[in-house]
Amino acid sequence: MPGVAELYRRFAEHETAGRSQVYTEICTRIAEDAEVLAFLEELPQAKRQPNLFLAAVQYLCGPTRDWASFRESFAERRGDIREVIVSRSTQTNEPARCATLLPALAALPQPLALLEVGASAGLCLQPDRYGYDYGRVSLPGEPVLPCRANDATPLPSRVPEVVWRAGLDLNPLDVRDPAECAWLEALIWPGEEERLPRLRAALEVARRDPPPVHRGDLRTDFTALAAQAPPEATLVVFHTAVLAYVRDAGERAAFADAVRATGAVWLANENAAVIPGCEVSAVPGTFTLARDAQAIARTDPHGSWVEWLPA
């Protein structure tokens, strides 16, 4: 594992560069700040991640403007910030990720039963409830999720038919709880404020018929939940930015085996390095969309583009 300074330096170089100038500067400065690094090094290893620290500051202190305001907020509220970090986890629930999953979902035998692991508030469990704009193809609905797609992407003519949906998460977020919705907003990066109204609109859709997200661990509770899916539907097990938090490669492989044992279609939208059996190389700052461990597309981690790969 890299040291904390290197972790933040890499995050600035490979994750926030070109997306959030504010966070790029802040993570670069954190990597050089002995006091902040000492604070982070006192945390459990799993709690040192940049997204969690940055979101905790925004959650308590409002939108981050620059390094000076971030550093001042840290100095004034480091105890409160630590409490938020310890009590919460990174649960970015970007509904636009549905736009990168939709071509794969629409190509499957319908209707679908969707099971998402690491579902957070369940906003990615409702791909049939949104609209989409791929440029050359648009599908009606609100909110509209814009997504750039290359010519090879098999764009759908309609949203999938979903007859059952369920999520699994260590700490499900309640779309009706203002504090938990505020946490989701705090996970949005400065410079990407256009994601905020989309998140709020998706939360409003979810409040009308909340997707059921069950408390549990993908390593121990997945199979029992999958067994509840209706047999007449195509079961799709999917996840985005989840397996990186399962640090043991053996446990990731065991999860993949459990998915295969259900007979489900498995869609993993992750860093390729953590998808068991996926043989393509990881590209920093991008995800690989894999169907049953076979890479089919490159995707933006926040859902703004999808590039289908040659067969």
Side-chain angles (χ1 to χ4, degrees):
M1 290 293 293
V4 177
E6 182 62 18
L7 178 67
Y8 278 75
R9 195 173 292 114
R10 288 185 188 179
F11 193 76
E13 292 174 356
H14 299 305
E15 305 295 335
T16 63
R19 307 192 69 127
S20 175
Q21 183 178 351
V22 171
Y23 273 179
T24 300
E25 179 195 11
I26 287 172
C27 288
T28 301
R29 298 290 290 269
I30 287 172
E32 301 168 348
D33 190 306
E35 184 180 353
V36 180
L37 290 175
F39 167 83
L40 291 167
E41 287 166 355
E42 292 172 357
L43 296 168
Q45 188 174 70
K47 296 292 186 178
R48 299 171 185 173
Q49 56 183 284
N51 259 332
L52 186 55
F53 182 27
L54 298 168
V57 174
Q58 287 209 127
Y59 180 70
L60 291 170
C61 306
T64 300
R65 302 186 306 276
D66 50 33
W67 166 249
S69 64
F70 181 91
R71 191 61 175 80
E72 182 180 358
S73 296
F74 168 75
E76 292 177 350
R77 304 197 63 180
R78 61 184 295 166
D80 296 331
I81 291 168
R82 187 185 192 284
E83 186 175 324
V84 172
I85 290 172
V86 170
S87 64
R88 291 199 173 271
S89 57
T90 303
Q91 291 179 283
T92 302
N93 204 186
E94 174 52 68
R97 289 168 173 166
C98 288
T100 60
L101 296 170
L102 195 73
L105 293 172
L108 297 173
Q110 307 290 308
L112 305 181
L114 300 181
L115 197 170
E116 182 183 15
V117 296
S120 186
L123 301 186
C124 289
L125 275 167
Q126 40 190 26
D128 53 325
R129 297 173 178 173
Y130 302 135
Y132 299 87
D133 181 3
Y134 294 101
R136 65 185 188 276
V137 170
S138 296
L139 302 177
E142 289 292 339
V144 174
L145 307 179
C147 182
R148 300 190 310 276
N150 68 348
D151 291 342
T153 303
L155 297 179
S157 59
R158 64 182 66 185
V159 297
E161 179 187 0
V162 180
V163 294
W164 182 88
R165 69 192 88 214
L168 187 68
D169 199 280
L170 290 171
N171 181 36
L173 299 183
D174 186 346
V175 297
R176 295 158 296 193
D177 185 325
E180 299 197 341
C181 293
W183 175 244
L184 289 176
E185 292 189 9
L187 287 158
I188 291 178
W189 298 356
E192 295 194 332
E193 286 82 6
E194 74 280 358
R195 293 168 55 198
L196 186 56
R198 189 165 63 221
L199 173 66
R200 290 172 175 169
L203 285 166
E204 188 58 38
V205 171
R207 287 187 194 104
R208 294 197 288 266
D209 183 16
V213 181
H214 305 267
R215 187 178 301 276
D217 191 317
L218 65 84
R219 293 166 291 191
T220 56
D221 303 307
F222 159 76
T223 301
L225 185 56
Q228 299 178 28
E232 67 274 11
T234 300
L235 176 60
V236 184
V237 176
F238 71 100
H239 49 87
T240 298
V242 170
L243 290 186
Y245 298 104
V246 180
R247 299 186 181 278
D248 184 87
E251 292 182 339
R252 294 196 297 267
F255 168 70
D257 290 341
V259 176
R260 294 187 188 100
T262 68
V265 175
W266 174 31
L267 295 179
N269 190 32
E270 304 266 357
N271 182 313
V274 300
I275 303 174
C278 186
E279 297 180 352
V280 303
S281 299
V283 177
T286 73
F287 283 164
T288 293
L289 176 61
R291 174 177 169 171
D292 299 328
Q294 300 301 307
I296 57 175
R298 299 280 190 195
T299 69
D300 171 49
H302 293 156
S304 68
W305 56 263
V306 57
E307 294 181 355
W308 220 255
L309 299 173

